[in-house]
Amino acid sequence: MKDNGVEYLSNKKHKIVFVMGSTATGKSKLSVDLATFFPSEIINSDKIQFYKGLDIITNKINQSDRRGVPHHLLGVIHDPDADLTAGEFCSLVEDAIADVISRGCLPIVVGGSNNYIEALVENPITDFRSRFDCCFLWTDVALPVLYKYIAKRVDQMVELGLVEEVREMFVPGADYSRGIRRAIGAPELDSYFKAEKNNEEETYKNDLLKSGIHEIKENTCRLALRQFGKIHRLRDEIGWGLHRIDATAVFEKSGEEAADEWMNGVLKPSLGIVGEFLNEKQKINQMETMTKNRSMGVMDEYEELKAKWNFGSNNAIGFGLVIVFTSLGLMTNWIWSWK
């Protein structure tokens, strides 16, 4: 296969990193963090994010959180009623992989559509496994902790305009079994928008809205559980060598403590795994130096920025961490906005 005249499928097995996990476990953030250390581009593998629109309820990563890292296959399907088949998914992802490799970059495939990811990797027709060397990272969060966070995140999404976003796409009698309207957040609000259109009493509409938001939370938790079970099946029954990264402690804490847990418990081990996979020992050593400098407090800028960002505040949804590594001539910007 060739892409723009570049033969990317040679005798050499190209390397690919997959970042997997249940919804809301920090997959997007980890993929961007990895891409700031290794020359990489990110390929979306969440099938509902292939569709254009509904950016809030589908949790598409925004431009600022991408931090300049190229992202592919976000919002590429413009027909809201089109059904993305597993075959179409695999074809689009393979083309994106070829495109990234042609530029000499590492493809990082990130998303939670595990059935489609399995179809891609285990495809006997394309023989994906024989052509690519895969590294699977699994961001995991204990389900009780994740459920609590999901409820908070849905509330934040409502504040960001979830209801208004879905209202713009509301069509009476729409088929919620097709296309982007399958996204959690759309069918749950159908009764509310119907009541709104029929000018029902405010109390009745408010009750429907509260019920719809509660249903969004419940269905998102059910999705997380299904994804959790699928990942276990891929590991235990199919035999995928998944590297489990336990991010539970990040979600149990806030502010600076959560940032430290992310760096030491999630980012550092992930960089080590990917560094060894790519045989990039220099990157591993760089991370070790960064962590050491951070813990020794050798940068006055860190203390100033810590005060500026008020890391000690009790912010369960988002927080920022900016660390200036003067001695390395490197600035790493961690801005939390869980997607």
Side-chain angles (χ1 to χ4, degrees), residues 73-268:
L73 301 182
L74 289 169
V76 295
I77 300 176
H78 290 215
D79 182 357
D81 295 316
D83 276 329
L84 177 67
T85 67
E88 292 167 339
F89 171 92
C90 293
S91 178
L92 288 169
V93 173
E94 284 235 29
D95 286 346
I97 289 171
D99 188 34
V100 172
I101 290 175
S102 73
R103 287 188 289 276
C105 293
L106 170 71
I108 299 179
V109 181
V110 55
S113 296
N114 298 314
N115 287 330
Y116 279 24
I117 295 170
E118 181 185 7
L120 172 72
V121 174
E122 301 296 341
N123 192 328
I125 298 175
T126 62
D127 204 13
F128 191 93
R129 282 283 200 176
S130 70
R131 295 184 291 119
F132 296 104
D133 191 6
C134 303
C135 174
F136 299 100
L137 296 180
W138 164 26
T139 58
D140 190 26
V141 176
L143 289 176
V145 176
L146 182 59
Y147 292 161
K148 184 178 179 180
Y149 172 71
I150 285 172
K152 292 179 180 179
R153 189 175 75 163
V154 171
D155 288 336
Q156 185 193 34
M157 291 163 65
V158 172
E159 293 176 2
L160 291 173
L162 179 152
V163 177
E164 292 75 14
E165 179 182 77
V166 180
R167 181 185 288 116
E168 292 180 3
M169 187 170 279
F170 173 70
V171 176
D175 184 356
Y176 290 103
S177 67
R178 297 177 58 84
I180 195 172
R181 289 187 174 87
R182 290 177 298 176
I184 295 175
E188 292 83 356
L189 295 179
D190 181 74
S191 296
Y192 168 69
F193 291 129
K194 285 179 180 176
E196 196 175 56
K197 191 173 183 64
N198 294 332
N199 295 317
E200 301 284 357
E201 293 182 357
E202 288 299 319
T203 301
Y204 177 62
K205 288 190 294 185
N206 289 337
D207 288 343
L208 287 176
L209 179 58
K210 290 179 182 178
S211 176
I213 292 172
H214 179 72
E215 195 175 351
I216 291 172
K217 295 176 181 179
E218 287 191 333
N219 287 340
T220 305
C221 289
R222 292 190 183 101
L223 170 63
L225 179 60
R226 290 196 301 272
Q227 292 170 322
F228 180 79
K230 176 66 177 183
I231 289 174
H232 273 267
R233 190 182 76 82
L234 290 173
R235 183 190 65 179
D236 301 335
E237 298 180 21
I238 309 300
W240 285 21
L242 301 175
H243 298 279
R244 179 176 177 268
I245 306 296
D246 188 355
T248 303
V250 177
F251 290 78
E252 292 177 319
K253 298 178 181 178
S254 63
E256 183 184 357
E257 290 184 347
D260 286 341
E261 287 291 349
W262 177 265
M263 179 187 290
N264 294 309
V266 177
L267 180 56
K268 183 178 177 181

Side-chain angles (χ1 to χ4, degrees), residues 20-32:
M20 306 172 65
S22 296
T23 186
T25 55
K27 299 184 298 296
S28 294
K29 174 173 172 52
L30 178 58
S31 66
V32 172

